[in-house]
Amino acid sequence: MNRDSNIYTLVYSAIMVIVVAALLAVASGALKAPQERNREIEKKMNILTSVGKAAGASIADDKNAYIENEYSKYIVESFLININGEKTEGDAFNTDLKAELKKPETERLLPVFVCSDNGSKQYIFPVRGAGLWGAIWGYISLKDDFNTVYGAVFDHAGETPGLGAEIADVSFQKKFADKKIYLDGKFMSVDVVKNGSVQLDDYKVDGITGGTLTSKAVGKMLFDCLSNYTKFFDVQKQNR
Amino acid sequence: MSEKEPLFSAKNLKLFTDPFNAGNPITVLVLGICSALAVTVKLQPAIVMGLSVTVVTGFSSFIISLLRNTIPNRIRIIVQLVVVAALVILVDQLLKAYVYEVSKQLSVFVGLIITNCIIMGRIEAFALGNKPFPSLIDGFGNGAGYGMILVIVAFFRELLGSGSLFGIRIVPESFYVSAGGFYENNGMMVLPPAALILLGVIIWVHRSVNNKLLEK
């Protein structure tokens, strides 16, 4: 057969493309379930980590089962709230925060997760923003005074390893515990700044050396996202 | 060849071992350094990247070698790219399904294996003119030779840049200036230029050990 003829080339490429496309479609279909499961487990783990739970995930025999178990044990409630802080119907776990933050403020429906452990309650809020190179996101949990930070967890799409990427490190996230977000009734959020700056200690976290832009982005993300919840905080405080 | 060659003949073994020394794709042929700079900040992703590249170079060489007598010459490169791209997507999907944490760290670089010069280089230079089994060995050897350099570079970068290996702290916390000590991580090590400098040092050491590599 003449391997240089046009017909041979066309038929060859057509067959090749069909075979490869079929192969990849099958692979993608077969692997979809475990991939989505991974994402779900990761999300649950992040939610749990923000309230200091799921610490044994890396040593658990069956990580997925461990996370599921912890999640159903501690996360007792999850719901959506609108901009006025009122609960609304909806699936909080599968709400896409990125899409919600793009909507105008009044149409946003934002998730809240409630963790309960031996009678003490923490409220977990997802946050999302723009880092230096790509998206950054995470969860921050507040004690039930809606003022004191209980814990935080952050992750990123592509911050510089060793510098900005350190926001995903436990030692950075630990610094958020016991910080405050309200000063004399005014919403302050927690800022991430250079050590020694003039801000009050309770409202700042030491930034990452060499990761200033990412540090600032975390501070901005917290302010922007938690601002959406201020009405909710007010309502909850009144009802206490 | 009239006589059937044994599977692991000296010639075939040399195909595998050569890339570790005189035929190393990174230090001698200087191929594939782009990704060597990007994924060597920590050891674990470097190892997974090395393995992924090894799998892709091995099997793409094997498949192309199987097809070598049927591929229309005019679309040769396109056929090679389709095979390589399909394999890379498969690897990416598998990583996402079974080692999710690592696939997150490697992020975009798994997809960029497609552009790794070593793969196309081995297909063009070897697989198109050789039988499938030697091509497979050659591909694995070159992937592993690439992975080896990645691991060496990552070892130094993680140790000097983060003070840890595999994420486990090696330099004690109390040594650091922030804890009242005298030590500070070398911030440059976590940036790509450090990988380039380390690669240069490795090439230098390699050449002074193996005199055959020196140009006359």
Side-chain angles (χ1 to χ4, degrees):
Chain A
M1 202 190 285
N2 178 12
R3 277 206 278 149
D4 287 328
S5 76
N6 286 345
I7 304 230
Y8 182 83
T9 307
L10 277 176
V11 172
Y12 193 94
S13 45
I15 293 175
M16 181 183 68
V17 167
I18 291 166
V19 169
V20 168
L23 186 78
L24 290 182
V26 169
S28 156
L31 294 172
K32 197 169 182 182
Q35 286 172 1
E36 279 184 354
R37 177 116 180 96
N38 281 338
R39 275 191 279 274
E40 186 193 325
I41 291 290
E42 187 197 22
K43 189 167 179 182
K44 287 188 171 168
M45 177 151 162
N46 280 340
I47 292 173
L48 286 168
T49 313
S50 74
V51 280
K53 302 291 185 290
S58 55
I59 49 166
D61 290 332
D62 183 350
K63 187 181 154 192
N64 291 2
Y66 173 79
I67 296 287
E68 288 287 2
N69 188 22
E70 293 273 291
Y71 191 84
S72 52
K73 192 159 120 197
Y74 292 117
I75 307 299
V76 289
E77 201 185 344
S78 63
F79 49 85
L80 292 169
I81 59 140
N82 62 19
I83 197 70
N84 294 321
E86 297 149 354
K87 286 188 192 179
T88 42
E89 289 294 308
D91 178 2
F93 187 78
N94 290 317
T95 297
D96 181 6
L97 187 64
K98 188 178 168 188
E100 293 297 326
L101 289 176
K102 276 191 186 142
K103 293 180 187 169
E105 267 188 10
T106 47
E107 287 171 29
R108 281 179 198 163
L109 291 177
L110 298 162
V112 178
F113 303 91
V114 186
C115 169
S116 170
D117 183 13
N118 281 334
S120 77
K121 269 191 173 178
Q122 292 94 37
Y123 292 78
I124 304 161
F125 306 94
V127 289
R128 187 179 177 95
L132 173 58
W133 304 117
I136 52 175
W137 60 90
Y139 295 88
I140 185 158
S141 59
L142 301 179
K143 290 183 181 165
D144 58 3
D145 62 356
F146 294 97
N147 183 18
T148 315
V149 177
Y150 188 78
V153 61
F154 303 110
D155 207 346
H156 62 95
E159 299 306 298
T160 319
L163 301 176
E166 296 292 302
I167 61 163
D169 199 68
V170 181
S171 59
F172 174 72
Q173 293 163 7
K174 265 190 194 158
K175 295 178 190 165
F176 284 84
D178 295 328
K179 298 289 171 189
K180 303 273 192 285
I181 60 168
Y182 276 95
L183 175 63
D184 300 334
K186 185 175 168 283
F187 176 66
M188 297 281 285
S189 182
V190 181
D191 209 358
V192 184
V193 291
K194 192 172 162 182
N195 211 359
S197 76
V198 289
Q199 265 158 300
L200 295 162
D201 275 343
D202 276 350
Y203 303 89
K204 72 170 184 198
V205 161
D206 188 14
I208 296 154
T209 312
T212 309
L213 288 171
T214 308
S215 300
K216 279 185 179 162
V218 171
K220 184 175 183 306
M221 166 174 81
L222 290 176
F223 185 87
D224 290 351
C225 289
L226 287 178
S227 304
N228 290 317
Y229 289 100
T230 46
K231 291 263 173 56
F232 174 73
F233 298 155
D234 294 342
V235 172
Q236 294 294 315
K237 281 178 190 167
Q238 278 163 17
N239 293 347
R240 283 178 76 209
Chain B
M1 235 181 294
S2 55
E3 222 174 301
K4 198 166 172 1
E5 201 187 341
L7 272 186
F8 289 98
S9 61
K11 207 173 107 206
N12 280 350
L13 274 182
K14 194 170 179 305
L15 287 177
F16 185 78
T17 53
D18 200 44
F20 285 94
N21 188 5
N24 190 284
I26 298 188
T27 62
V28 180
L29 308 177
V30 199
L31 290 176
I33 28 175
C34 351
S35 54
L37 306 187
V39 297
T40 51
V41 177
K42 298 261 158 79
L43 260 174
Q44 197 198 17
I47 289 174
V48 177
M49 182 72 176
L51 283 176
S52 309
V53 170
T54 307
V55 168
V56 175
T57 42
F59 287 109
S60 60
S61 284
F62 180 73
I63 293 168
I64 291 294
S65 177
L66 276 178
L67 299 174
R68 71 186 187 283
N69 293 325
T70 68
I71 297 173
N73 201 35
R74 275 187 290 174
I75 56 164
R76 187 180 86 239
I77 301 282
I78 299 174
V79 173
Q80 292 166 8
L81 265 181
V82 170
V83 171
V84 174
L87 281 168
V88 168
I89 294 170
L90 274 181
V91 168
D92 191 28
Q93 297 281 323
L94 283 169
L95 290 179
K96 272 191 188 137
Y98 297 110
V99 272
Y100 186 66
E101 302 283 305
V102 180
S103 88
K104 255 177 48 191
Q105 284 177 337
L106 288 173
S107 63
V108 63
F109 296 107
V110 176
L112 287 177
I113 294 176
I114 299 169
T115 62
N116 194 316
C117 330
I118 298 168
I119 298 168
M120 294 293 276
R122 291 327 292 170
I123 291 174
E124 278 284 297
F126 195 90
L128 278 177
N130 285 280
K131 290 192 169 166
F133 187 72
S135 301
L136 181 72
I137 301 276
D138 178 78
F140 279 149
N142 275 282
Y146 163 87
M148 177 186 74
I149 302 295
L150 242 59
V151 170
I152 296 174
V153 174
F155 174 85
F156 287 109
R157 286 184 75 187
E158 188 173 354
L159 185 63
L160 301 174
S162 311
S164 61
L165 289 175
F166 291 108
I168 299 162
R169 185 140 293 287
I170 300 290
V171 180
E173 204 76 58
S174 58
F175 280 20
Y176 284 96
V177 175
S178 55
F182 56 88
Y183 186 80
E184 215 166 326
N185 284 328
N186 186 336
M188 201 186 73
M189 278 292 160
V190 297
L191 298 173
L196 205 60
I197 293 166
L198 277 173
L199 268 184
V201 173
I202 292 171
I203 293 176
W204 172 33
V205 171
H206 189 196
R207 288 186 165 221
S208 47
V209 173
N210 190 342
N211 286 324
K212 280 185 217 144
L213 293 173
L214 299 177
E215 287 95 3
K216 292 278 146 49

